[in-house]
Amino acid sequence: MLRLLKKALEVGEATVEYPFKPIEVAQGFRGKPAYDFSRCIGCGACATACPPNAITMDCDLERGIKSWNINYGRCIFCGRCEEVCPTGAIVLSKEFELAVIKKEDMYCRAELKLCRCIFCGEYFETFREIEYVREILEQVGLTKKSSESRVQFLKVCPKCRRHKVARIAALSNWHVDLNGRREENGTRS
Amino acid sequence: MEPEAKLQELKAKLKNVIKRSVYVYRVDCGGCNGCEIEIFGAITPVYDVERFGIKVVSSPRHADLLLFTGAMTRAMRLPAIRAYQAAPDPKIVVAYGACGCSGGIFHDSYGVWGGADAIFPVDVYIPGCPPTPAATLYGLAMALDLLQQKIKREQWVEKEVTPVLPKYEGVDPDLAKEIEREARRLSGYLYGRRIAAQYLEFVREKDPLAVDRKVKELVKQEKDPRLAEILLNLHKIYMERVGHDAG
């Protein structure tokens, strides 16, 4: 009996004082994905990578908005979003106290503005992503003059871009052969 | 009295009565048993939920609180309903784990009906895959009104366009990409990104000789041979590129 008491005193208390005092989580603990709205460009890499589809993206073409949604109730804390994020907008924090009473509190939503295509006028990409690409092109060292036309070219949607490139190629190489057909295309569209 | 209001009143009364003696019955509706392991982790002496009187019992007839773990599968929905009906009213229902909250990674499987909330009225959701014993403790304490909820629904709207700048300001993006890729190849995305950021801090100097001196100094001081190796590898990429540009 005494020996047991002595042993117990030697070992001390094993129980953590958690709810009364904050607990220190292990190094590299993957908790709630902390979202930094000011760094998000809305590229959708995280939504593509997310295994349980906790992160989803949606386009509202009426309002010109791309929305980013996360459901913490579905998140499996794998960290794939952090791995693929090009700007570091999403980082897994150490927060683990995520219990909620209402399901709505587990959701997080962000809305990014979409840019219109300068030719067809349809929404196609977020302003932030275009700005981000422009910034990178500038850093790579494009001259001011050529980057000006490139900036304009960034605001062309993939569909129009394909049309333009095809038209330029056709005009420059097979001007005579395709001249008639080009007009045909023009009338059809 | 409205049935909903009456239920709330009964639940408040129940919480008042069971204060320091809460019997928990857990129902596995078709999960991977990770959540069970964490629940049993929570009743070990380290986390010791029994100091709050929370006890895991083996029959739903004794239970005040039902823990539904795992996605609600088609095959387990009837046993889950039986367990729910066997528990005496009023009872507290807790959806446990990512699967219990919303179906988790199995949400689009053919045999899954969603989370526990697809069938039962849930009082508290404890997300996590699996929730750690500390998160379990927090969630159960919240179910018993001992602690307050911490997270809230968040919503951001972009009012005016604010540009996002690339991560490594002032470094050639091609070089930054190559350095980060190599660092991630050698040490994984988490440490790779940190090491790449650390290295690119030096590169910002622009003067290759100064960069070379500083990196060599850092490598000499570094006690972890793995980190020194990675830094040297990154440095090789940088020096090759600089040499190429000069030549």
Side-chain angles (χ1 to χ4, degrees), chain B residues 11 14-15 18-19 21-27 39 49 52-69 83-84 86-96 122-126 136-146:
Chain B
K11 266 184 193 164
L14 172 79
K15 281 173 194 167
I18 61 176
K19 248 182 217 165
S21 159
V22 185
Y23 281 17
V24 175
Y25 181 71
R26 47 154 209 92
V27 192
I39 291 168
V49 288
F52 304 102
I54 296 167
K55 195 163 179 266
V56 178
V57 293
S58 54
S59 166
R61 294 192 192 281
H62 301 159
D64 306 305
L65 197 152
L66 290 169
L67 268 182
F68 286 97
T69 67
Y84 181 81
D89 280 321
K91 54 211 155 203
I92 302 165
V93 177
V94 176
Y96 190 85
V122 174
D123 293 302
V124 171
Y125 296 86
I126 308 179
T136 309
L137 204 55
Y138 172 79
L140 289 178
M142 227 183 76
L144 301 170
D145 289 345
L146 299 173

Side-chain angles (χ1 to χ4, degrees), chain A residues 15-16 18 39 52 73 77 82-83 85-86 97 99-101 103 105 109-113 128 135 139, chain B residues 45-46 51 98 102 107 117 125 127-128 134 149-150 153-156 158-159 162 165-167 169 184 193:
Chain A
T15 311
V16 293
Y18 162 58
R39 301 260 331 135
F77 307 94
E82 184 184 342
E83 187 180 342
C85 185
E97 292 162 326
V100 292
I101 290 172
K103 209 176 179 185
D105 285 339
R109 183 185 166 87
E111 290 181 348
L112 293 157
K113 275 187 181 168
R128 278 189 184 181
E135 196 69 38
Q139 277 192 18
Chain B
V46 178
R51 64 198 148 130
S102 63
H107 69 99
D117 58 327
Y125 296 86
Q149 183 178 323
K150 281 198 179 156
R153 190 198 166 115
E154 289 168 275
Q155 181 137 12
W156 282 285
E158 192 184 23
K159 289 207 177 70
T162 44
L165 296 176
K167 255 191 298 185
E169 217 32 64
R184 284 167 76 146
R193 192 171 268 181

Side-chain angles (χ1 to χ4, degrees), chain B residues 3 6 14 24-25 43 72 74 84-85 98 103 111 125-126 141 143 161 170 181 190 200 226:
Chain B
K6 186 154 191 191
L14 172 79
V24 175
Y25 181 71
I43 56 175
M72 189 60 72
R74 197 185 64 91
Y84 181 81
Q85 284 169 346
Y125 296 86
I126 308 179
V161 179
R181 194 169 282 175
L190 192 65
L200 289 171
R226 298 168 296 177

Side-chain angles (χ1 to χ4, degrees), chain A residues 33-41 68 87-91 128, chain B residues 156:
Chain A
Y35 176 63
D36 183 359
F37 180 59
S38 63
R39 301 260 331 135
C40 183
I41 55 169
W68 181 93
T87 59
I90 191 157
V91 175
R128 278 189 184 181
Chain B
W156 282 285

Side-chain angles (χ1 to χ4, degrees), chain A residues 37 40 60 70 74 83 104 107 118 133 141 155 157 171 181:
Chain A
F37 180 59
C40 183
D60 186 348
I70 184 166
R74 191 175 278 169
E83 187 180 342
E104 286 75 44
Y107 300 138
I118 51 171
V133 171
K155 291 184 179 170
C157 73
L171 279 174
R181 272 186 229 168

